[in-house]
Amino acid sequence: MQNREIAAIFNELADLLEIKGENPFKVRAYRNAARTLESIGKPVEEMVAEGKDLSILPGIGKDLAEKIKEILRTGKLQKLDNLKKEIPEALRALLSIEGLGPKRVKVLYETLHISDPDALKEAALHHEISKLPGFGPKTEEKILKGIRLLKQEGVRFLFAEAEPIVEELIAYLQKAPGILTIEAAGSFRRKKETVGDVDMLCTAKEPPKVIDYFTKFSQVLEVISAGTTRSTVVLKNSLQIDLRVVEKESYGAALHYFTGSKTHVIAIRQIAIDLGLKINEYGVYQKEQKVAGLTEKDVYESVHLPVIPPELRENRGEIEAAAKNRLPNLITLEDIRGDLHMHTTYSDGMDTLETMVKTAIAKNYTYIAVTDHSATLAVVKGLDAQKALKQFEEIEKLRERYAPFHIFKGMEVDILEDGSPGMEDDILKQLDIALGAIHSKFKLTRKAQTKRLIKAIQNPYIKGIAHPTGRLIGKRAPLELDFKEICKAIKEEGKFLEINAQPERLDLNDVLIKEAREKGVKFSIATDAHASGQLSYMRYGINQARRGWLEKEDVVNTKSLETLVKFLK
Ligand code: DGT
Ligand code: CA
Ligand code: CA
């Protein structure tokens, strides 16, 4: 069990206790514990296995340590289950709407008897929400937008949430009786930032035995269907998995079909029709004769195309590019030489500067930039000038100790409402890499927001923009921006846009990355790690970059140290 899963249980518990009007200190204690869990690099499961005392962790006392153990032992928390029985599910669903926390949900329930998203929408449309004390028309608007987001994305899983369970399932299925091959297809194989369900494909000597074995996977909550060659189950975390056992001779055709995307598959099928062929999930046919289907390569060859990487299969020009032999040579994780966005105990990170350095060295990186927050009204846990100077001193010492590994002096500088940086020039000019980032006033008009960000881009000390659109997947909509203008400014100023690799940010998204690349924009791919373990989030950033068609040359942190230093100047 991952720390983030345990943290989610504590956060949910805190929310429900708050709706019930429980003691605020108790509520806060659960939230603090969740924050600790999210930010420590080491899985508590390992700590427990090693016999370590969990109450040495900040914010974790004896009682919470016991609860963590209960979760590790049983996969759940009795206290939370009891609360869930008391509070209806529809009411809990309100919590995932942007602009609504437990306090407001409580008020809505007690005053307007709103207990589900539909009732909330009705009330908002009739302007009953804005009349409540502490709400107002802005909140009402935000709630309506939040309901729309909930309907669109509420049931999708982050790629990073699905990944460990898919890996576990693959490892399990590899031991199924008579299994030959097993692979995940669908949006998961295309590395989409969120997946609706996971589509697994396998070949086997005796398909029914594999199906039977599949339905007995320990994480299965419910078997929706189980035939002789296909089955659908829902896991305990409510992720749905479709498994299909296919014939070896059809594997390539099936893999192509079930990898999708639907629009890509349909476009390929149309090319086949124009060539007098027919493609379906069993193979490629000329008249009644099967001419291909064993491998994906055969399928693409039948329509005179090279294999298109799964990440590009969205019918966004990849077929045309493939036909002209102009597919991008996609960036890989091995191309990355360092990470340019991370936090330490100087601001809100969990690990020390030196631990971050050591972890980066263990990853074979050449350099990192340490980018703790600047302290402003919007960012409480940040550096002031004095703390920054102290950090510079430590960086210089560590540079000597760990040479030739290089540590860039960086900072995630809060961009204020007027576009100016939340840190004095005296400090800024000593930085190698100042990242500008928006942490407040997310709702400015498109014009004002664009102006604000362009002003930051034009600041001589700021080298790049961190998480440029500010979106949180399924939770916070992206900033209203004139993205063309942003790209233009970035290019003119010779700066870069970050692709933030945090699983719930993945900001920029694939579409914007591709658009910016076509305009000649440069990028960094960076983890924004708040603990050393999160430096491995780099792979999610790479997924997103590949979906945005990026090559090694588009990304500044693939450069050698010398070239990067030159670029920054
Ligand atoms: P998801 O699950 O919403 O994240 O997205 P996908 O792409 O995994 O979609 P899913 O699970 O509905 O279907 C998996 C693949 O199967 C999809 O990428 C393409 C193929 N597929 C599904 N339905 C159709 C269809 O009606 N026509 C065609 N041509 N392909 C389909
Ligand atoms: Ca799927
Ligand atoms: Ca599916």
Side-chain angles (χ1 to χ4, degrees):
M1 189 154 210
Q2 295 194 324
N3 289 354
R4 69 154 66 217
E5 296 171 74
I6 305 172
I9 291 177
F10 282 159
N11 274 328
E12 191 174 2
L13 184 64
D15 285 345
L16 299 191
L17 287 173
E18 199 165 353
I19 291 180
K20 269 196 72 185
E22 267 274 1
N23 178 344
F25 290 103
K26 230 172 164 176
V27 173
R28 201 171 314 143
Y30 286 116
R31 294 234 162 85
N32 287 340
R35 202 167 314 130
T36 297
L37 286 166
E38 275 163 349
S39 51
I40 51 174
K42 193 176 167 80
V44 285
E45 187 161 22
E46 262 177 55
M47 295 180 66
V48 170
E50 291 164 8
K52 292 221 175 84
D53 181 6
L54 294 180
S55 57
I56 57 165
L57 294 170
I60 311 264
K62 278 233 156 47
D63 174 48
L64 279 161
E66 265 321 300
K67 289 209 164 60
I68 293 175
K69 283 193 198 151
E70 184 195 336
I71 295 170
L72 287 173
R73 213 170 43 239
T74 64
K76 56 194 189 124
L77 190 61
Q78 198 55 51
K79 193 175 164 84
L80 177 61
D81 286 3
N82 295 344
L83 265 176
K84 278 186 175 172
K85 279 182 206 131
E86 274 181 67
I87 302 173
E89 189 178 340
L91 182 61
R92 285 184 266 133
L94 295 180
L95 284 170
S96 48
I97 294 170
E98 197 200 350
L100 284 187
K103 279 202 192 72
R104 285 189 160 154
V105 169
K106 188 165 189 273
V107 173
L108 289 169
Y109 184 64
E110 283 170 357
T111 56
L112 299 176
H113 309 293
I114 290 172
S115 60
D116 63 67
D118 288 339
L120 179 66
K121 189 174 170 187
E122 273 303 301
L125 288 172
H126 289 96
H127 303 297
E128 286 167 31
I129 308 285
S130 53
K131 288 184 210 133
L132 292 173
F135 279 76
K138 278 229 173 87
T139 311
E140 193 168 76
E141 233 175 51
K142 206 167 163 183
I143 287 173
L144 278 171
K145 209 167 170 184
I147 294 172
R148 281 197 296 276
L149 271 176
L150 180 77
K151 295 244 147 99
Q152 267 168 32
E153 308 199 313
V155 292
R156 297 185 67 85
F157 279 70
L158 294 179
F159 178 87
E161 290 172 327
E163 186 190 43
I165 200 142
V166 171
E167 279 169 6
E168 190 185 332
L169 179 58
I170 287 177
Y172 171 79
L173 284 171
Q174 268 158 354
K175 288 180 263 164
I179 190 101
L180 298 169
T181 64
I182 170 80
E183 191 171 4
S187 52
F188 186 82
R189 182 166 180 241
R190 303 199 311 279
K191 310 275 167 58
K192 216 172 146 173
E193 61 199 26
T194 63
V195 299
D197 69 355
V198 177
D199 309 277
M200 310 279 292
L201 276 190
C202 70
T203 54
K205 287 185 196 135
E206 290 175 78
K209 283 196 176 159
V210 172
I211 295 292
D212 183 53
Y213 182 86
F214 169 66
T215 58
K216 293 186 173 120
F217 179 49
S218 65
Q219 300 295 320
V220 170
L221 176 73
E222 198 183 343
V223 177
I224 307 288
S225 69
T228 51
T229 61
R230 72 171 285 194
S231 168
T232 296
V233 300
V234 175
L235 302 182
K236 286 175 187 161
N237 65 357
S238 76
L239 178 64
Q240 182 177 311
I241 313 267
D242 286 346
L243 175 74
R244 289 180 183 80
V245 191
V246 303
E247 297 288 339
K248 209 175 154 219
E249 296 71 37
S250 305
Y251 189 72
L255 183 60
H256 183 256
Y257 181 89
F258 290 111
T259 296
S261 67
K262 195 168 153 180
T263 58
H264 173 91
V265 171
I266 289 171
I268 294 288
R269 194 182 292 164
Q270 188 55 49
I271 299 176
I273 292 172
D274 297 342
L275 292 169
L277 300 169
K278 190 181 143 211
I279 299 184
N280 59 29
E281 68 246 60
Y282 302 104
V284 183
Y285 299 85
Q286 188 156 36
K287 303 264 161 49
E288 298 307 307
Q289 179 78 29
K290 185 162 168 178
V291 294
L294 183 65
T295 68
E296 251 189 351
K297 189 157 176 273
D298 299 341
V299 175
Y300 280 107
E301 263 172 13
S302 74
V303 291
H304 312 305
L305 292 175
V307 175
I308 297 174
E311 295 93 326
L312 299 185
R313 297 183 197 172
E314 299 292 344
N315 201 22
R316 286 187 202 134
E318 74 279 8
I319 295 174
E320 294 77 359
K324 290 186 203 139
N325 237 323
R326 283 206 198 128
L327 282 174
N329 183 13
L330 295 180
I331 186 169
T332 67
L333 187 57
E334 290 68 41
D335 292 327
I336 296 293
R337 303 249 191 131
D339 200 327
L340 300 182
H341 186 165
M342 69 188 65
H343 299 266
T344 72
T345 44
Y346 278 91
S347 67
D348 58 350
M350 282 301 292
D351 285 315
T352 63
L353 177 46
E354 186 161 13
T355 301
M356 299 307 275
V357 169
K358 284 186 183 162
T359 312
I361 290 173
K363 288 191 177 307
N364 268 325
Y365 283 164
T366 312
Y367 49 75
I368 56 168
V370 177
T371 55
D372 279 306
H373 287 284
S374 70
T376 57
L377 281 177
V379 186
V380 185
K381 259 190 151 183
L383 304 170
D384 53 19
Q386 205 187 353
K387 254 174 139 181
L389 290 171
K390 228 178 106 200
Q391 189 179 54
F392 293 165
E393 266 177 43
E394 189 182 350
I395 288 176
E396 278 156 29
K397 270 194 211 127
L398 292 176
R399 277 180 185 168
E400 274 178 36
R401 193 174 307 159
Y402 292 101
F405 183 81
H406 189 70
I407 306 154
F408 287 108
K409 290 176 188 167
M411 194 180 292
E412 180 177 0
V413 181
D414 191 32
I415 300 172
L416 306 179
E417 184 173 359
D418 68 355
S420 60
M423 178 53 69
E424 45 260 57
D425 282 1
D426 257 1
I427 297 292
L428 291 180
K429 70 179 170 214
Q430 298 183 57
L431 294 169
D432 307 304
I433 300 188
L435 301 173
I438 286 178
H439 298 107
S440 62
K441 304 279 172 189
F442 296 108
K443 301 283 168 188
L444 295 186
T445 62
R446 182 176 152 103
K447 205 170 152 205
Q449 202 69 277
T450 305
K451 196 170 156 218
R452 175 190 192 189
L453 201 54
I454 287 180
K455 189 170 167 205
I457 293 166
Q458 290 171 339
N459 181 295
Y461 302 119
I462 287 178
K463 306 292 180 189
I465 300 298
H467 44 74
T469 75
R471 66 103 174 239
L472 294 174
I473 296 173
K475 289 200 186 121
R476 185 164 74 211
L479 302 171
E480 302 274 357
L481 287 171
D482 184 338
F483 193 63
K484 271 197 194 71
E485 289 299 313
I486 300 298
C487 290
K488 205 171 126 210
I490 287 281
K491 201 162 173 247
E492 274 171 14
E493 299 290 323
K495 311 233 162 135
F496 62 84
L497 289 178
E498 176 184 271
I499 298 170
N500 188 292
Q502 291 279 320
E504 62 282 354
R505 286 193 184 272
L506 290 172
D507 180 10
L508 302 168
N509 73 20
D510 48 0
V511 174
L512 293 179
I513 295 169
K514 183 163 186 272
E515 183 182 334
R517 175 183 188 246
E518 282 159 8
K519 296 189 163 60
V521 164
K522 294 290 174 210
F523 305 84
S524 71
I525 306 176
T527 64
D528 194 356
H530 283 68
S532 55
Q534 294 182 4
L535 289 173
S536 60
Y537 286 175
M538 188 61 83
R539 64 182 187 281
Y540 305 128
I542 293 286
N543 288 348
Q544 194 79 333
R546 288 169 65 89
R547 288 181 55 82
W549 293 51
L550 292 199
E551 302 190 340
K552 185 179 173 184
E553 288 67 35
D554 300 315
V555 176
V556 298
N557 50 321
T558 63
K559 294 179 193 290
S560 70
L561 179 58
E562 297 72 34
T563 319
L564 179 56
V565 168
K566 257 184 238 149
F567 173 85
L568 292 170
K569 280 191 178 131

